[in-house]
């Protein structure tokens, strides 16, 4: 696939194949607040994503970054989990609804939160080698790879 729009279009097929009856599939992306902000901007530059209905909170707490309507009432939600350990106790609550957890930055507290919910964090370097959250093509590659690893 040559560009981000092709990769994002292929996410529809991947998500529908793993969750034929689901209404929403959620991918949690865990990173520093600055990287989450860059990732959000890159997703929203792609025509497939729209902003969530609620505004981003001022505090570095987990929140929806973008939503991609797929088909037949199915949405892909990208949840941001800012790696600010002040809010680490709430991470398991946010991560338990994620079908895939992607880690952009190392965090022992995040690894512990993933252990609590029984879901490993996928390394961005494994899903999209050389990943940059500013590049739409690489963001599309990461989202598609995360969707392929989603648990339903």
């Amino acid at each position: 696939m040559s560009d981000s729009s092709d990769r994002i279009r292929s996410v529809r097929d991947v998500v529908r194949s793993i969750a034929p009856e689901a209404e929403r599939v959620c991918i949690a992306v865990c990173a520093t607040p600055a990287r989450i902000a860059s990732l959000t901007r890159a997703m929203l530059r792609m025509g497939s994503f729209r902003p969530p209905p609620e505004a981003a909170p001022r505090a570095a707490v987990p929140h929806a970054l973008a939503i991609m309507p797929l088909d037949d009432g199915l949405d892909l939600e990208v949840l941001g989990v800012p790696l600010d350990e002040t809010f680490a106790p709430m991470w398991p609550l946010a991560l338990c609804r994620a079908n895939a957890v992607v880690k952009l930055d190392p965090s022992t507290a995040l690894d512990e939160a993933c252990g609590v919910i029984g879901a490993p964090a996928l390394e961005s370097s494994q899903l999209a080698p050389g990943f940059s959250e500013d590049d739409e093509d690489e963001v599309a590659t990461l989202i598609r790879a995360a969707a392929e690893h989603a648990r339903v």
Side-chain angles (χ1 to χ4, degrees), residues 16-92:
R16 188 48 79 198
S17 71
I18 63 167
E21 302 300 320
E23 292 180 12
R24 179 164 287 201
V25 172
C26 178
I27 296 172
V29 179
C30 310
T32 63
R35 291 188 82 183
I36 285 187
S38 294
L39 176 74
T40 302
R41 286 189 298 273
M43 285 188 293
L44 294 177
R45 283 192 302 265
M46 291 185 245
S48 300
F49 284 97
R50 62 178 165 77
E54 64 280 347
R58 293 188 185 273
V61 296
H63 61 283
L65 302 178
I67 297 171
M68 185 171 92
L70 297 173
D71 63 13
D72 301 330
L74 174 65
D75 289 334
L76 174 69
E77 176 186 39
V78 179
L79 177 73
V81 180
L83 295 178
D84 179 339
E85 291 193 15
T86 304
F87 300 103
M90 69 173 52
W91 294 349

Side-chain angles (χ1 to χ4, degrees), residues 14 18 99-101 122 126-127 144-152:
V14 170
I18 63 167
N99 301 94
V101 178
L122 305 166
Q126 298 290 320
L127 298 174
R144 185 180 195 289
E148 290 173 346
H149 288 87
R151 301 170 292 117
V152 181

Side-chain angles (χ1 to χ4, degrees), residues 108-127:
T108 301
L110 176 63
D111 294 338
E112 291 170 4
C114 287
V116 167
I117 64 164
L122 305 166
E123 298 280 346
S124 63
S125 61
Q126 298 290 320
L127 298 174

